[in-house]
Amino acid sequence: MSNAEFDVIVVGGSYAGLSAATQLGRARRRVLAIDAGQRRNRYAQHSHGFLGQDGREGASIAAEGRAQLMKYPTVRWREGAATQAVPHDGGFRVTLADGSAHHAQRLVLATGMADELPSIPGLAERWGGSVFHCPYCHGYELDQGRIGVLATSALSFHHAMMLPDWGTVTFFLNGVFEPDAEQLAKLEARGVTIERSAVRAVSGKAAVLLEDERVIELDGLFVLSRLHSASALAEVLGCEMEDGPMGRYVRTDMMKATSIPGVYAAGDAARMAGSVAFAVADGAMAGAASHQSLIFGLPA
């Protein structure tokens, strides 16, 4: 019989972490959720594309999820950043920034990702308001208006090809990417305007100031950010990572198990690209899988 304080510690109290902890709370397992309060979508006013919650404030979805979670008597909540996680006594010891530590048999990492934006004046200030990364999350609300795509890599070609379904698109190459002949033909067929002048700044709602002094007025600008893990815990624990087109993320199997037995990962931290809907699904799987591992044991 384990002497662990908790059955499972869930690191991350956003959508994936809340979903994982809910599954475990419903199984009447002792759960600790640790939350640093840094939801990736905190810059966006509304969340879209999540069934039953379309158009709600992301903060409201998270707050309601937490309120529902805390009705389960075996769940505990800690505010703070988890700074260290190490194997301990057949499970894991997680240490917080304030020096306190907790021990559990299993660990679910729902630590999220952070976005790295191009260093263009005015871009970061509009992130989540009129500068976006996900067409499915924000494209419809632009009402078939004027949309820009700022190239950050060759992957931006896919962004530019997709977005004409949501509006009239200008593709700002910005010296980062040059489409080949076949790509140019595809972009032309999709009605995309190519702009090769360098981008100097973004102002107003989403107006792009070019190096040649022209200003392109837009209703929204899309940028594929680079991603990095919002927490080093997975790598500190030795979890295998995947190199995705936008950054490294935790490798998991179909049950959201990492390469370290007893450690599960869910949400943006463990997938190439994310959304609220994907995060909730991942969290449910990680919660159920970690629970079942407490009953049937870990794979040999």
Side-chain angles (χ1 to χ4, degrees), residues 2-299:
S2 172
N3 293 318
E5 182 184 2
F6 295 98
D7 295 312
V8 183
I9 290 176
V10 178
V11 183
S14 188
Y15 311 106
L18 288 167
S19 181
T22 297
Q23 301 302 313
L24 290 156
R26 289 186 56 77
R28 301 186 184 276
R29 290 291 180 163
R30 298 167 299 159
V31 184
L32 175 64
I34 300 173
D35 183 38
Q38 297 291 307
R39 286 181 301 107
R40 182 183 171 197
N41 71 347
R42 63 192 181 276
Y43 301 103
Q45 185 174 0
H46 298 100
S47 173
H48 295 281
F50 181 26
L51 186 64
Q53 303 289 333
D54 190 35
R56 287 192 64 189
E57 293 184 359
S60 295
I61 298 173
E64 184 175 339
R66 176 180 171 180
Q68 291 175 354
L69 171 65
M70 297 313 297
K71 292 179 181 178
Y72 294 101
T74 59
V75 177
R76 299 292 180 267
W77 186 276
R78 278 293 311 272
E79 302 281 354
T83 57
Q84 186 181 43
V86 295
H88 175 73
D89 193 21
F92 303 92
R93 184 178 66 234
V94 177
T95 303
L96 279 71
D98 65 4
S100 62
H102 301 279
H103 178 215
Q105 297 182 68
R106 302 288 187 268
L107 188 58
V108 174
L109 302 178
T111 48
M113 301 291 267
D115 295 278
E116 301 172 13
L117 298 173
S119 56
I120 294 174
L123 194 70
E125 294 88 334
R126 290 161 178 80
W127 185 241
S130 58
V131 176
F132 314 108
H133 75 290
C134 174
Y136 297 103
C137 302
H138 304 287
Y140 185 84
E141 281 61 44
L142 297 178
D143 200 25
Q144 298 183 313
R146 301 161 298 178
I147 295 174
V149 175
L150 177 64
T152 56
S153 70
L155 193 61
S156 296
F157 166 74
H158 296 275
H159 235 175
M161 285 291 291
M162 291 172 61
L163 276 155
D165 282 1
W166 285 276
T168 302
V169 176
T170 300
F171 189 13
F172 298 92
L173 303 182
N174 200 35
V176 173
F177 168 67
E178 180 60 42
D180 60 28
E182 182 181 356
Q183 290 171 327
L184 284 171
K186 290 179 177 179
L187 290 166
E188 182 179 1
R190 291 284 282 158
V192 176
T193 298
I194 303 296
E195 180 54 68
R196 289 183 171 81
S197 184
V199 174
R200 180 186 294 178
V202 181
S203 63
K205 182 179 182 181
V208 174
L209 172 63
L210 299 174
E211 195 65 39
D212 60 14
E213 303 294 339
R214 285 181 296 133
V215 175
I216 309 296
E217 296 286 348
L218 300 170
D219 297 298
L221 178 64
F222 284 80
V223 182
L224 280 174
S225 58
R226 289 290 300 171
L227 300 176
H228 68 264
S229 190
S231 167
L233 291 186
E235 292 187 88
V236 168
L237 284 162
C239 297
E240 292 182 6
M241 307 293 286
E242 292 273 6
D243 288 314
M246 293 177 287
R248 284 165 59 82
Y249 59 95
V250 184
R251 177 183 294 171
T252 63
D253 64 14
M254 292 180 64
M255 300 296 287
K256 306 310 296 180
T258 73
S259 60
I260 302 300
V263 179
Y264 299 79
D268 289 2
R271 56 170 47 250
M272 182 176 65
S275 72
V276 174
F278 288 151
V280 171
D282 283 354
M285 178 60 78
S290 60
H291 169 241
Q292 291 178 35
S293 76
L294 293 167
I295 301 168
F296 300 107
L298 294 167

